[in-house]
C-alpha cells in the first residue's frame, strides 16, 4: 500500500509538470492585463506583439499598489520675498505663518495674517480637505509631504513675474495622491496656488484651505468701532457681502454650482485681506468658495472663539490667483476686478461716495504735502470754504429772524396770557397757535427759519462720518504721523490735548453764534453740544479730532465775518427806518 501511494504521488507530480511545460504559455513581465489605451483602441497588435489573452471569468487580478510618496522627517522652511515672509511645514504641507514685513504692530513685530487660534484649531492655509471624508482629511493634515522649492523667472508663463514657488507631493501607497503648490511674487502681494488630488489615478473632489481667521489685534486703545477681524467678504459682481465670524453657523458654498457668481472672495480684517481673485493657468477651474466656521479652543478664562476658514473647491486639477496683503487703495486699483471695494468705506451709497471722495482728495493733497495731518487741515479748509455760502446765508437769516421775533415777543406773550385764562383744551390750543402764526405772517416772520442755523452742521455730518470712516478703515492712515505726540492719526490722542482744544474752540464758536438768540433754552442746548462731543471725541482717531478742531477755528473766523456783516446790515436797516421816519414827519409838517 505504501509503494502504491508513493507511485501515485510521483505520477501526479509528473502530470502537473508536463502540463505546465506543454500546455500553459509562458508569463511575460508587466501587468497581467493590457493597458487601457490598447483595450479602448481595439487595434490589432503590431509586429512582434503577442495577442492579448481572452478575458477570463472570475475576480480580476489585483492592481499593483501605487508607490508611496512622503518625507522621512518633519521639516519647516520659509519663502521670503520683498513683501512677504511665509513659513511652511511639510507636515500636511501647510503654512504656519504669513507675515508682511512692511507692516508692523506696536512692538515692532511684523503683521502675521494667521492668528494663534488657527494653529490651536489645527486649520492652516494649504490644508487639503476631502468633503465627506473627515478621517482622510485629518490624515492629510499630519502626513509628511515631500517638497521642492524653485525660483520663478521673470518670463514665467503664469505672469507672476520673479518670485519663489514651493511644490508639495504626497501619496499614501494605497492609491491616494496629492499635489499642490504655492507661488509668491517677489515684489507684490499676488500669489498663485494649485491643487490636484487623485485616487487610483482618478480626480477626487477636494477643498484647498488658503485663509484662516485673518484676525489682527487692534493697535492701541482706540475704540474698536469699525474694526473687524476675520470676517468673510464676497463680491458677486454687483455688490459686496460681508459676514462676521459669529454669524455664520454652518458651511456655506458660493459658486456656479449654487447659482451665486463670485468675482472675488475670501477673508478680511480692517486693513488686510486674503482673497481669491479667479483662476489661472491651463488647469483653471471656476471659482467656488467654501466658507466654514470652526471653534478655536478657548483661552484661559475665555470662551471658545469662532473662526472662519476660506477654501477653494476643485473637482480636478485646478489653479487660482490669490491676493494676500494690505488693503492699499492703489495696489487694489492696479489689480482691477473692482477690488477697491474690499476697503469698507460704507454700506450706504451717499456715505460711501463721500468717504471715497474725501480719501482720494486727501491722498492727492498728501502727494504734495507729504504729511497726512497737514493734508487733513488743508482739506478741512477747502470743505469749510465750500460750505461758507450756505453758512453765511443761514446765519444771516437766523439772526434777522431772531431780532424780529424778539420785537414780537411781548405781543406773543399777551396772546398766550389771553388763552391761558380760558379752559385748556385741544381746540383752545389750536386757536392760540393759529393766532400767533397769524401775527408772524402779518409781520413777515418765519419762525421755522431759525432751524436754518442747524443746516451747516447737518450738511457737515456726511463729511464728518466720511472722515471718520477713511481714518478708521484705510491702511494709508494706519501709523501715519502728524507732529509731536501724535504719531498715528488712526489712534486717539494719548494726552487728550486735541479733544480739549476742540471742545474749547466749539464753545467759543457757539458763544459767538448764540449771542443773537433770545431763547435761553435754545442757547443752553447750543452750549451743551460741545461739552457732549468733547467726551465723545476723546477716544476717536486723532485725525478726526484735528479735522473738527480745524473746522471750529475756521468756523470762528467765518462767524466773526458773519457777525460784522450782520451788524452792518442792521445798522443800514436802522438808518433806512430813521430816514423813512424823518420823511414821514417832514411830509406831515408840510401838510
Amino acid at each position: 500500500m505504501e509503494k502504491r501511494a508513493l507511485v501515485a504521488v510521483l505520477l501526479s507530480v509528473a502530470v502537473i509538470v508536463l502540463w505546465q511545460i506543454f500546455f500553459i504559455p509562458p508569463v511575460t513581465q508587466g501587468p497581467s492585463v493590457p493597458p487601457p489605451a490598447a483595450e479602448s483602441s481595439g487595434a490589432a497588435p503590431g509586429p512582434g506583439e503577442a495577442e492579448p489573452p481572452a478575458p477570463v471569468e472570475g475576480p480580476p487580478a489585483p492592481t499593483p499598489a501605487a508607490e508611496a510618496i512622503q518625507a522621512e522627517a518633519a521639516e519647516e522652511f520659509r519663502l521670503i520675498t520683498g513683501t512677504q515672509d511665509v513659513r511652511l511645514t511639510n507636515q500636511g504641507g501647510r503654512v504656519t505663518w504669513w507675515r508682511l514685513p512692511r507692516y508692523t504692530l506696536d512692538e515692532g513685530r511684523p503683521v502675521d495674517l494667521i492668528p494663534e487660534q488657527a494653529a490651536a484649531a489645527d486649520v492652516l492655509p494649504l490644508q487639503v480637505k476631502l468633503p465627506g471624508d473627515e478621517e482622510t482629511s485629518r490624515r492629510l493634515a499630519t502626513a509628511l509631504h515631500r517638497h521642492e522649492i524653485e525660483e520663478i523667472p521673470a518670463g514665467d508663463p503664469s505672469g507672476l513675474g520673479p518670485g519663489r514657488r514651493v511644490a508639495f507631493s504626497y501619496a499614501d501607497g494605497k492609491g491616494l495622491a496629492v499635489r499642490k503648490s504655492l507661488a509668491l511674487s517677489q515684489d507684490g502681494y499676488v500669489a498663485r496656488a494649485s491643487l490636484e488630488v487623485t485616487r487610483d489615478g482618478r480626480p477626487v473632489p477636494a477643498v484647498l484651505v488658503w485663509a484662516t481667521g485673518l484676525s489682527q489685534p487692534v493697535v492701541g486703545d482706540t475704540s474698536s468701532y469699525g474694526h473687524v477681524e476675520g470676517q468673510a467678504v464676497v463680491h458677486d459682481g454687483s455688490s459686496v457681502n460681508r459676514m462676521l465670524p459669529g454669524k455664520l453657523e454652518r458651511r456655506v458654498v458660493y459658486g456656479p454650482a449654487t447659482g451665486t457668481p463670485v468675482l472675488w472672495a475670501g477673508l478680511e480684517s480692517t486693513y488686510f485681506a486674503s482673497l481669491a481673485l479667479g483662476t489661472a493657468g491651463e488647469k483653471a477651474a471656476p471659482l467656488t468658495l467654501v466658507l466654514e466656521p470652526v471653534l478655536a479652543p478657548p483661552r484661559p478664562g475665555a470662551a471658545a472663539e469662532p473662526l472662519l476658514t476660506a477654501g477653494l473647491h476643485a473637482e480636478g486639477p485646478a489653479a487660482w490667483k490669490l491676493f494676500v496683503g494690505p488693503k492699499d487703495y492703489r495696489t487694489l486699483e492696479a489689480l482691477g476686478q473692482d477690488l477697491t471695494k474690499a476697503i469698507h468705506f460704507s454700506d450706504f451709497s451717499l456715505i460711501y461716495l463721500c468717504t471715497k471722495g474725501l480719501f482720494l482728495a486727501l491722498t492727492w493733497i498728501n502727494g504734495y504735502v507729504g504729511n497726512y495731518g497737514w493734508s487733513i487741515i488743508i482739506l478741512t479748509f477747502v470743505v469749510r470754504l465750500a460750505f461758507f455760502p450756505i453758512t453765511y446765508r443761514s446765519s444771516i437769516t437766523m439772526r434777522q429772524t431772531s431780532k424780529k421775533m424778539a420785537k414780537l415777543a411781548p405781543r406773543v406773550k399777551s396772546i398766550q396770557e389771553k388763552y391761558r385764562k380760558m379752559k385748556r383744551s385741544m381746540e383752545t390750543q389750536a386757536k392760540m397757535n393759529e393766532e400767533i402764526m397769524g401775527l408772524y405772517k402779518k409781520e413777515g416772520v418765519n419762525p421755522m427759519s431759525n432751524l436754518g442755523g442747524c443746516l451747516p452742521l447737518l450738511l457737515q455730518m456726511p463729511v464728518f462720518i466720511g472722515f471718520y470712516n477713511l481714518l478708521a478703515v484705510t491702511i494709508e492712515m494706519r501709523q501715519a504721523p502728524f507732529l509731536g505726540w501724535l504719531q498715528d492719526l488712526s489712534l486717539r490722542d494719548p494726552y487728550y490735548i486735541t479733544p480739549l482744544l476742540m471742545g474749547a474752540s466749539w464753545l467759543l464758536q457757539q458763544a459767538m453764534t448764540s449771542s443773537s438768540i433770545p431763547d435761553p433754552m435754545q442757547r443752553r442746548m447750543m452750549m451743551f453740544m460741545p461739552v457732549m462731543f468733547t467726551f465723545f471725541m476723546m477716544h476717536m482717531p486723532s485725525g478726526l479730532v484735528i479735522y473738527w478742531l480745524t473746522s471750529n477755528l475756521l468756523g470762528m473766523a467765518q462767524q466773526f465775518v458773519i457777525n460784522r456783516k450782520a451788524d452792518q446790515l442792521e445798522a443800514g436797516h436802522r438808518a433806512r427806518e430813521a430816514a423813512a421816519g424823518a420823511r414821514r414827519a417832514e411830509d406831515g409838517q408840510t401838510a
Side-chain angles (χ1 to χ4, degrees), residues 147-199:
H147 74 277
E148 296 179 0
I149 300 176
E150 63 176 346
E151 299 294 325
I152 304 174
D156 187 75
S158 68
L160 193 65
R164 306 194 73 194
R165 178 189 292 115
V166 58
F168 288 102
S169 57
Y170 169 78
D172 63 358
K174 300 177 182 179
L176 181 66
V178 176
R179 286 180 289 275
K180 58 186 176 180
S181 68
L182 174 68
L184 303 177
S185 173
Q186 178 63 32
D187 298 319
Y189 295 96
V190 174
R192 295 189 186 277
S194 68
L195 174 67
E196 182 180 9
V197 180
T198 59
R199 180 175 275 120

Side-chain angles (χ1 to χ4, degrees), residues 115 117 211-216 227-233 241-252 266-270 291-296 304-310:
Q117 305 96 299
T212 58
L214 208 75
S215 60
Q216 289 297 318
H227 286 266
V228 294
E229 307 303 325
Q231 75 175 2
V233 55
N241 303 306
R242 290 177 162 88
M243 290 156 284
L244 291 169
K247 300 296 183 182
L248 199 65
E249 298 180 352
R250 57 184 177 82
R251 185 173 182 266
V252 177
L267 300 182
E268 67 170 358
S269 64
T270 302
L291 294 175
E292 191 168 1
V294 297
L295 279 180
E305 301 179 44
L307 188 73
L308 281 182
T309 67

Side-chain angles (χ1 to χ4, degrees), residues 94-411:
R94 301 183 295 173
V95 177
T96 58
W97 80 40
W98 199 310
R99 293 179 177 175
L100 307 178
R102 295 183 182 178
Y103 296 89
T104 59
L105 302 174
D106 270 351
E107 308 84 0
R109 293 184 294 109
V111 166
D112 188 353
L113 299 183
I114 303 178
E116 295 178 0
Q117 305 96 299
D122 198 28
V123 183
L124 294 169
L126 288 192
Q127 189 164 323
V128 175
K129 292 185 175 184
L130 304 185
D133 192 345
E134 296 296 330
E135 178 59 32
T136 304
S137 299
R138 284 193 293 269
R139 193 154 43 86
L140 288 176
T142 57
L144 297 180
H145 291 53
R146 290 183 188 174
H147 74 277
E148 296 179 0
I149 300 176
E150 63 176 346
E151 299 294 325
I152 304 174
D156 187 75
S158 68
L160 193 65
R164 306 194 73 194
R165 178 189 292 115
V166 58
F168 288 102
S169 57
Y170 169 78
D172 63 358
K174 300 177 182 179
L176 181 66
V178 176
R179 286 180 289 275
K180 58 186 176 180
S181 68
L182 174 68
L184 303 177
S185 173
Q186 178 63 32
D187 298 319
Y189 295 96
V190 174
R192 295 189 186 277
S194 68
L195 174 67
E196 182 180 9
V197 180
T198 59
R199 180 175 275 120
D200 298 329
R202 291 185 294 272
V204 175
V207 173
L208 179 70
V209 177
W210 97 94
T212 58
L214 208 75
S215 60
Q216 289 297 318
V218 178
V219 182
D221 56 352
T222 291
S223 169
S224 60
Y225 175 77
H227 286 266
V228 294
E229 307 303 325
Q231 75 175 2
V233 55
V234 180
H235 193 322
D236 61 9
S238 59
S239 61
V240 178
N241 303 306
R242 290 177 162 88
M243 290 156 284
L244 291 169
K247 300 296 183 182
L248 199 65
E249 298 180 352
R250 57 184 177 82
R251 185 173 182 266
V252 177
V253 179
Y254 293 89
T258 59
T260 309
V262 179
L263 182 61
W264 48 259
L267 300 182
E268 67 170 358
S269 64
T270 302
Y271 298 118
F272 304 95
S274 182
L275 307 172
L277 307 184
T279 57
E282 296 179 358
K283 298 179 180 181
L287 182 60
T288 299
L289 175 75
V290 180
L291 294 175
E292 191 168 1
V294 297
L295 279 180
R299 298 176 182 179
E305 301 179 44
L307 188 73
L308 281 182
T309 67
L312 293 164
H313 181 81
E315 293 287 341
W320 302 274
K321 180 180 179 181
L322 307 175
F323 171 82
V324 183
K327 293 197 286 188
D328 177 87
Y329 185 87
R330 300 301 177 191
T331 301
L332 297 175
E333 185 181 42
L335 293 173
Q337 293 185 248
D338 208 21
L339 267 173
T340 55
K341 287 189 177 176
I343 304 172
H344 194 192
F345 285 134
S346 179
D347 290 325
F348 303 100
S349 299
L350 176 62
I351 302 299
Y352 178 89
L353 293 174
C354 184
T355 304
K356 185 176 179 179
L358 287 170
F359 170 75
L360 294 176
L362 189 63
T363 52
W364 181 80
I365 294 171
N366 188 67
Y368 294 96
V369 176
N371 183 295
Y372 274 109
W374 291 112
S375 299
I376 290 173
I377 292 173
I378 294 172
L379 182 56
T380 306
F381 178 82
V382 174
V383 171
R384 263 291 184 176
L385 195 63
F387 281 122
F388 181 69
I390 299 174
T391 304
Y392 174 81
R393 189 178 299 110
S394 62
S395 297
I396 294 294
T397 302
M398 184 179 70
R399 181 160 177 161
Q400 291 173 344
T401 302
S402 297
K403 293 286 186 182
K404 292 178 181 178
M405 290 182 69
K407 291 181 180 179
L408 294 176
R411 297 169 63 179

